Amino acid sequence: MRTTDLIPREFWRKIRDAGIDGYMVIVGLMIVITAVILALFAEFIAPYDPIQRVGPPVSPPSTQYLLGTDSIGRDVLSRLIYGTRTIMIVILISTVLSMSVGIPLGLISGYIGGKLDRLLSLIMDSIYAFPGLILAIAVAAVLGPGIYNTSISLAVVYIPTYFRMIRGHVLSLRETIFVEAARAIGAKDRRIMLKYILPNTLFIITVVFSLNVADAVLTEAGLSFLGLSVASPTPDWGFDLKNGQRYFLSGYWWPVTFPGIAIFLLALGFGLLGEGLNTILGKEEI
Amino acid sequence: MILETKDLKKYFPVTKSFIERLFTREMKYVKAIDGVSIDVRKGEILSLVGESGSGKTTLGKLVLRLIDPTDGRIIFDGRDITYLKGEELRRLRRHMQIIYQDPYASLNPRMKIGESIKDPLIIHNIASDQEAYKMVLNMLEKVGLTPSEHFYGLYPRSLSGGQRQRVAIARAMITNPKFVVADEPVSMIDVSLRASILDLMLRFKHDLHLSYLFITHDLAVSKYISDRIAVMYLAKIVELGDVYSIFKKPLHPYTQALISAIPVPYPRREKKLSLSGEIPSGIDIPPGCRFHPRCPFKMNICSEEEPTLRRIEEGHYVACFLHQ
């Protein structure tokens, strides 16, 4: 399958014609793509080693240290750039995990229905009832720190959103005429789910994905702020935020402000992308 | 005989509100099909005519086993398929197909039309991928979607309603079925294109020697295409006969009303038989003859006893006390 099948040319035309929603998508995409580039090429972009002392502690932003240095003399900018990698890896793994659990379960549960559906919905709803951050803290506290454990705890939080959205959509798709037509030509359940229903939930997955990720950025930052995410000295925005805030009252504003802005921007980027896509695609498909 | 139903019934349970459930244990049902016996002969087009809500579509889905019957028998090609399940039923589906009313809803919007048509071939292991591709191109040409290579790669959204219905017909015909249910296949098609779609279906009938159960609410269409007509009113067949005798001598008042509702090129000031009121719901079917509340020739017996389908002349049946 070519990529043009997944992202058809019409899609770009839609974005161009969508006005404010189109701009939201474009700005969001620009932020996200920047973050991806920073994460991929951190070695080439960052001016210093992020975990080495490279200058005097808390030196203010200057031409030598563009965003200043932190309390033990590490370059804030370099830590931000490498921190992008940390958060992107966590988000990538947690998204893959929650999608690969939430989507198939939602698909099967919605399509088959009956007792299985009731059981799965009950489990998912009870997970969903927890506030996201609290649940993530609980899971992370049990699993301990580390990139993979953080990813798992985030995944647990977001599985129910995929499940619920997919299941709801499958419930209505199951009743459509083209699905009945698929049964009429003798397609097996598996084929109906994979070839007739799943492709029609793609836009829902896209939207849930980008909205979840915006939320996940904040949750991850929250976890590491509380010291439950990756262990130091790995560069991590939430961790730097916590480290920096101790010196804020002494007038050293830069170690806390810049990680804060970075978290804000990335969450904003994914949020804009999600909201914009939601409006543009939602209008079309429903 | 390709298809035969014997006293087929389909009742849908009515969901009751919580309060109702507290006070009564009695289940209510919508009687969508209430004892229908029809037969479709090999190479024949049997039209099923009736108002919206008379149960035509339900009957079409029942005979294809897309929904399960409540009671009665379905015999397809000499084989009782009433309780056929799972893999056996799935295999049988290549011999019986359906064309839906709404060409905008019956095709998967995320599947190229070529793939949609090819899918039955792959599902039933009829041809390898390469052969199937060629068969699809061939079929696209047959239904008039040329150049076929171009149409193969299009998605349904870039096709018009008429073109989509051609795709739906192609998908139904690709497995060389013996029997096809056509559920109002032209009612959503632009009037100027109807004849060409009907002709296409007739051509397949001759080429493949297949039989149709042709569901329609339009007697004019059924006159054009069918060999025999079954008139349905509120879940039952009220009259059955070949096209000629139904139009020449309609016996049931309901059939007469339907025929007099067909617009004619040069209307004369004849008294038209018109019906008042709406078709009653399948929950509260009137006692006696189910047509009597709307019947202009109502007699006393009509509200007391239910007429049965009786043979009046060769191949012409009617359920009405006027003819017993």
Side-chain angles (χ1 to χ4, degrees):
Chain A
M1 193 186 275
R2 288 169 300 147
T3 41
T4 44
D5 286 346
L6 287 171
I7 308 167
R9 246 168 288 143
E10 285 167 48
F11 178 71
W12 291 111
R13 206 179 313 130
K14 263 182 242 163
I15 287 179
R16 226 175 41 213
D17 300 340
I20 185 90
D21 294 311
Y23 290 119
M24 281 166 67
V25 171
I26 288 167
V27 173
L29 261 185
M30 272 160 50
I31 296 175
V32 171
I33 288 170
T34 312
V36 170
I37 291 170
L38 288 180
L40 284 178
F41 305 108
E43 282 90 349
F44 307 105
I45 299 167
Y48 298 101
D49 188 330
I51 54 173
Q52 291 298 320
R53 185 191 175 101
V54 292
V58 289
S59 44
S62 63
T63 45
Q64 200 181 355
Y65 310 109
L66 280 177
L67 302 180
T69 60
D70 68 2
S71 57
I72 47 173
R74 295 174 298 197
D75 183 42
V76 171
L77 178 64
S78 304
R79 283 189 68 80
L80 277 190
I81 292 171
Y82 275 92
T84 319
R85 177 177 287 177
T86 312
I87 199 158
M88 293 305 259
I89 289 176
V90 169
I91 282 171
L92 186 73
I93 298 175
S94 70
T95 305
V96 169
L97 275 179
S98 48
M99 274 190 178
S100 52
V101 177
I103 294 173
L105 284 186
L107 197 61
I108 292 168
S109 187
Y111 184 76
I112 293 175
K115 277 184 185 148
L116 178 79
D117 180 41
R118 260 189 251 167
L119 180 72
L120 282 173
S121 296
L122 189 73
I123 296 172
M124 291 296 173
D125 282 351
S126 33
I127 297 177
Y128 194 70
F130 280 98
L133 186 58
I134 307 281
L135 183 63
I137 289 172
V139 179
V142 172
L143 294 177
I147 282 191
Y148 296 108
N149 289 346
T150 311
S151 308
I152 292 172
S153 54
L154 286 181
V156 171
V157 175
Y158 296 106
I159 285 171
T161 36
Y162 284 104
F163 174 84
R164 285 160 54 105
M165 292 297 276
I166 297 296
R167 175 182 169 272
H169 213 62
V170 171
L171 281 182
S172 65
L173 280 171
R174 195 178 62 172
E175 305 300 325
T176 55
I177 296 179
F178 71 83
V179 168
E180 192 189 275
R183 277 205 297 134
I185 60 173
K188 288 180 185 162
D189 287 340
R190 212 178 103 96
R191 192 179 191 86
I192 295 176
M193 278 194 264
L194 293 180
K195 285 195 84 172
Y196 287 82
I197 293 182
L198 187 62
N200 284 290
T201 60
L202 264 185
F203 91 99
I204 280 280
I205 296 174
T206 323
V207 171
V208 176
F209 161 73
S210 37
L211 291 179
N212 271 353
V213 168
D215 205 60
V217 169
L218 296 177
T219 311
E220 199 277 340
L223 278 184
S224 49
F225 186 83
L226 295 170
L228 290 166
S229 181
V230 291
S232 77
T234 316
D236 182 271
W237 296 351
F239 189 75
D240 285 3
L241 198 68
K242 182 180 86 171
N243 260 349
Q245 53 112 16
R246 278 183 281 161
Y247 303 94
F248 184 68
L249 289 179
S250 328
Y252 307 123
W253 53 271
W254 52 93
V256 61
T257 308
F258 294 115
I261 291 176
I263 293 167
F264 165 74
L265 275 181
L266 191 60
L268 181 77
F270 280 117
L272 285 176
L273 189 63
E275 285 293 344
L277 285 180
N278 195 2
T279 332
I280 295 174
L281 296 179
K283 236 185 278 171
E284 279 293 309
E285 306 271 340
I286 302 165
Chain B
M1 214 78 80
I2 188 77
L3 179 98
E4 203 178 343
T5 71
K6 286 182 181 158
D7 204 23
L8 198 61
K9 287 179 181 155
K10 177 66 187 177
Y11 297 170
F12 292 104
V14 181
T15 37
K16 288 184 290 185
S17 70
F18 178 68
I19 304 284
E20 276 179 313
R21 244 179 292 174
L22 282 180
F23 290 106
T24 166
R25 280 183 157 265
E26 180 199 4
M27 287 291 282
K28 276 192 174 176
Y29 293 96
V30 175
K31 297 182 175 175
I33 298 291
D34 197 12
V36 167
S37 305
I38 53 163
D39 56 284
V40 183
R41 297 170 195 156
K42 273 184 182 144
E44 171 191 65
I45 301 186
L46 175 70
S47 274
L48 199 58
V49 183
E51 278 169 278
S52 315
S54 56
K56 297 168 294 179
T57 299
T58 310
L59 184 60
K61 288 182 181 175
L62 273 178
V63 298
L64 292 182
R65 289 294 320 279
L66 287 170
I67 48 180
D68 292 326
T70 311
D71 196 18
R73 297 229 153 285
I74 305 162
I75 292 134
F76 176 77
D77 208 10
R79 182 175 175 201
D80 189 333
I81 62 162
T82 322
Y83 300 105
L84 212 59
K85 272 200 289 201
E87 192 62 11
E88 269 186 292
L89 179 62
R90 205 181 65 74
R91 288 225 190 96
L92 189 72
R93 295 210 178 281
R94 64 174 287 190
H95 301 300
M96 42 198 241
Q97 283 294 330
I98 181 166
I99 299 165
Y100 287 95
Q101 176 178 20
D102 184 355
Y104 288 88
S106 64
L107 297 171
N108 182 354
R110 296 271 175 198
M111 213 185 234
K112 288 175 187 161
I113 61 164
E115 303 288 327
S116 276
I117 301 172
K118 197 172 79 176
D119 223 26
L121 293 176
I122 306 296
I123 287 168
H124 295 290
N125 277 325
I126 294 174
S128 71
D129 217 52
Q130 274 298 316
E131 291 163 350
Y133 176 72
K134 276 185 200 137
M135 286 166 81
V136 171
L137 291 186
N138 219 329
M139 182 54 84
L140 280 169
E141 254 156 54
K142 258 193 207 165
V143 298
L145 295 175
T146 46
S148 50
E149 279 97 352
H150 169 70
F151 275 98
Y152 187 98
L154 292 182
Y155 284 92
R157 60 171 173 266
S158 36
L159 265 58
S160 72
Q163 288 173 326
R164 288 183 203 211
Q165 199 60 302
R166 285 168 191 272
V167 174
I169 292 173
R171 177 177 60 184
M173 299 303 167
I174 193 95
T175 57
N176 289 348
K178 296 174 184 163
F179 172 66
V180 173
V181 171
D183 187 359
E184 308 219 21
V186 293
S187 70
M188 290 182 75
I189 306 291
D190 201 276
V191 180
S192 58
L193 296 172
R194 282 187 188 174
S196 67
I197 298 281
L198 291 176
D199 285 339
L200 184 63
M201 293 177 61
L202 281 175
R203 206 164 69 230
F204 275 112
K205 180 199 146 186
H206 293 303
D207 289 356
L208 305 179
H209 196 65
L210 55 78
S211 322
Y212 284 106
L213 179 65
F214 192 94
I215 299 169
T216 178
H217 59 261
D218 187 346
L219 262 180
V221 168
S222 72
K223 185 181 181 183
Y224 181 77
I225 197 166
S226 43
D227 301 308
R228 287 192 303 148
I229 294 180
V231 181
M232 209 171 172
Y233 184 79
L234 204 55
K236 273 207 157 166
I237 303 287
V238 295
E239 187 164 359
L240 174 70
D242 57 73
V243 177
Y244 181 76
S245 54
I246 292 263
F247 275 87
K248 182 92 186 295
K249 203 170 79 181
L251 296 174
H252 199 281
Y254 183 61
T255 317
Q256 292 165 3
L258 285 181
I259 289 177
S260 74
I262 301 176
V264 288
Y266 304 103
R268 283 167 292 171
R269 282 202 192 171
E270 254 172 39
K271 201 177 160 209
K272 281 206 164 190
L273 181 63
S274 58
L275 294 179
S276 55
E278 293 277 321
I279 189 165
S281 98
I283 306 177
D284 303 304
I285 290 179
C289 171
R290 45 195 71 200
F291 186 60
H292 85 264
R294 297 170 75 187
C295 183
F297 311 113
K298 185 171 59 181
M299 300 179 292
N300 282 336
I301 189 174
C302 296
S303 54
E304 287 155 11
E305 257 181 77
E306 184 157 16
T308 50
L309 207 58
R310 284 205 184 178
R311 194 176 143 224
I312 302 301
E313 52 189 31
E314 181 58 39
H316 196 160
Y317 300 80
V318 69
C320 181
F321 288 117
L322 290 171
H323 306 281
Q324 312 238 323

